[in-house]
């Protein structure tokens, strides 16, 4: 855990409201009473460091354990305040679990924690495209330019053929091949992202000793944004191809 996150968690988790002896995020470890929710990030909520390689089996185990303990049936006899806290904790638990178990959502969440809004990024790209007079379209990743150009021509051909009620198996085969290649690239980008995860996690470990790694940190975050953007681009393209083939 980075020093900052550890400190925040300490400040955010006061003594147990009931027995006054223990610090706890969800339940007091001494008397077992549910605790009022504290504003912590999802990693801290589960007691994980802010790293991207995450033990998903441990995450799932902790999720089910907490779900059982926070279940409304358990609080049937509890006072109103405790019941309200258990509901709030439960809702945060579900949000945190959904976000962290998904590799893409987890990465996007970490980027947000680090101050990077992906929507903001794509908005900037759109505005840049407008300013330079290009059509309002997602910027094509350079390594895909040729493939996308050819695919768009084929899709246009397909549209015309469908209008004319014609059928061209060779064209469909071409589009099918392009689709397969894009699907492979889509998968490969997840592996590329995982390489960035390793670099990030190493940086988090090193940073507990060395605080002068701000530039490396920023560069890594930018690289993750780049991978996610390329992956989104391919995902949208695949959606277009599927629509064109089904219509
Ligand atoms: Zn207690």
């Amino acid at each position: 855990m980075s020093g900052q996150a550890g400190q925040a968690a300490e400040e955010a988790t006061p003594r147990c409201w009931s027995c006054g002896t223990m610090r706890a995020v969800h339940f007091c470890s001494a008397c077992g009473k549910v605790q009022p929710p504290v504003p912590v990030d999802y990693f801290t909520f589960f007691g994980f460091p802010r790293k991207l390689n995450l033990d998903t089996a441990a995450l799932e185990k902790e999720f089910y354990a907490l779900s059982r303990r926070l279940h409304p049936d358990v609080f049937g006899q509890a006072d109103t305040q405790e019941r309200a806290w258990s509901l709030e904790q439960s809702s945060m638990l579900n949000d945190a679990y959904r976000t962290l178990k998904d590799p893409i959502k987890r990465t996007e969440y970490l980027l947000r924690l680090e101050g990077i809004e992906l929507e903001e990024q794509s908005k900037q790209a759109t505005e840049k495209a407008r300013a330079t007079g290009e059509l309002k379209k997602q910027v094509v990743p350079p390594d895909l330019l040729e493939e996308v150009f050819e695919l768009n021509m084929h899709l246009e051909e397909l549209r015309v053929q469908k209008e004319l009620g014609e059928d061209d198996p060779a064209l469909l085969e071409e589009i099918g091949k392009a689709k397969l290649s894009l699907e492979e690239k889509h998968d490969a980008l997840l592996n590329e992202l995982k390489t960035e995860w390793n670099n990030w996690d190493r940086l988090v470990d090193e940073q507990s000793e060395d605080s002068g790694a701000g530039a490396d940190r920023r560069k890594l975050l930018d690289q993750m944004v780049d991978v996610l953007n390329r992956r989104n681009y391919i995902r949208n393209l695949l959606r277009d191809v599927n629509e064109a083939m089904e219509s």
Side-chain angles (χ1 to χ4, degrees):
M1 184 180 290
S2 80
Q4 244 181 341
Q7 207 178 4
E10 253 166 59
E11 283 162 8
T13 50
R15 290 172 176 277
C16 168
W17 61 271
S18 181
C19 72
T21 52
M22 294 281 177
R23 281 196 298 105
V25 176
H26 324 98
F27 294 97
C28 173
S29 39
C31 72
K33 289 275 187 188
V34 69
Q35 300 297 304
V38 285
V40 291
D41 67 74
Y42 293 160
F43 291 95
T44 308
F45 184 86
F46 276 108
F48 288 126
R50 213 184 262 192
K51 291 185 187 175
L52 288 166
N53 285 291
L54 192 140
D55 183 347
T56 46
L59 174 73
E60 194 167 313
K61 203 173 150 216
E62 186 66 8
F63 169 72
Y64 284 114
L66 284 170
S67 293
R68 274 195 298 276
R69 292 188 72 183
L70 289 167
H71 196 276
D73 289 353
V74 179
F75 292 88
Q77 305 296 317
D79 69 40
T80 320
Q81 184 62 82
E82 281 179 71
R83 220 164 35 229
W85 285 337
S86 74
L87 284 174
E88 281 176 55
Q89 290 275 17
S90 188
S91 150
M92 187 160 175
L93 173 68
N94 288 321
D95 291 345
Y97 177 64
R98 263 197 298 268
T99 304
L100 293 189
K101 78 169 173 179
D102 181 279
I104 301 300
K105 286 202 182 100
R106 186 194 314 151
T107 311
E108 288 174 345
Y109 181 70
L110 180 97
L111 289 170
R112 270 206 301 282
L113 285 179
E114 294 295 325
I116 295 172
E117 286 292 339
L118 289 164
E119 295 90 66
E120 198 57 32
Q121 290 268 333
S122 70
K123 210 178 99 194
Q124 276 173 13
T126 308
E127 275 162 10
K128 194 176 156 198
R130 257 194 224 125
T132 53
E134 290 172 57
L135 289 172
K136 187 197 163 286
K137 214 169 182 199
Q138 258 189 301
V139 181
V140 186
D143 59 321
L144 287 179
L145 268 175
E146 212 172 312
E147 206 171 339
V148 169
F149 180 75
E150 198 177 324
L151 178 62
N152 279 332
M153 283 208 323
H154 284 147
L155 289 178
E156 179 59 20
E157 261 179 80
L158 181 69
R159 198 184 60 77
V160 172
Q161 283 190 1
K162 284 198 170 177
E163 269 178 15
L164 297 172
E166 285 170 4
D167 191 30
D168 181 356
L171 180 64
L172 283 175
E173 205 189 315
E174 278 297 315
I175 295 173
K177 261 190 248 166
K179 194 181 146 188
L180 201 66
S181 154
L182 286 172
E183 280 164 351
E184 277 165 10
K185 289 199 165 87
H186 191 253
D187 290 348
L189 280 167
L190 187 60
N191 290 329
E192 204 177 312
L193 190 64
K194 284 177 179 172
T195 306
E196 303 297 347
W197 286 4
N198 295 339
N199 293 333
W200 172 259
D201 291 357
R202 205 174 308 126
L203 200 72
V204 170
D205 286 336
E206 284 164 7
Q207 249 170 4
S208 37
E209 297 131 44
D210 165 32
S211 58
D216 288 352
R217 199 183 172 91
R218 182 67 215 190
K219 199 174 139 207
L220 259 180
L221 293 169
D222 284 344
Q223 276 163 359
M224 283 191 256
V225 170
D226 180 56
V227 174
L228 288 176
N229 282 343
R230 278 188 284 150
R231 199 168 175 276
N232 279 342
Y233 180 87
I234 294 180
R235 198 197 52 211
N236 291 340
L237 200 58
L238 279 167
R239 196 195 49 213
D240 291 349
V241 173
N242 286 330
E243 274 173 16
M245 290 179 94
E246 280 159 18
S247 65

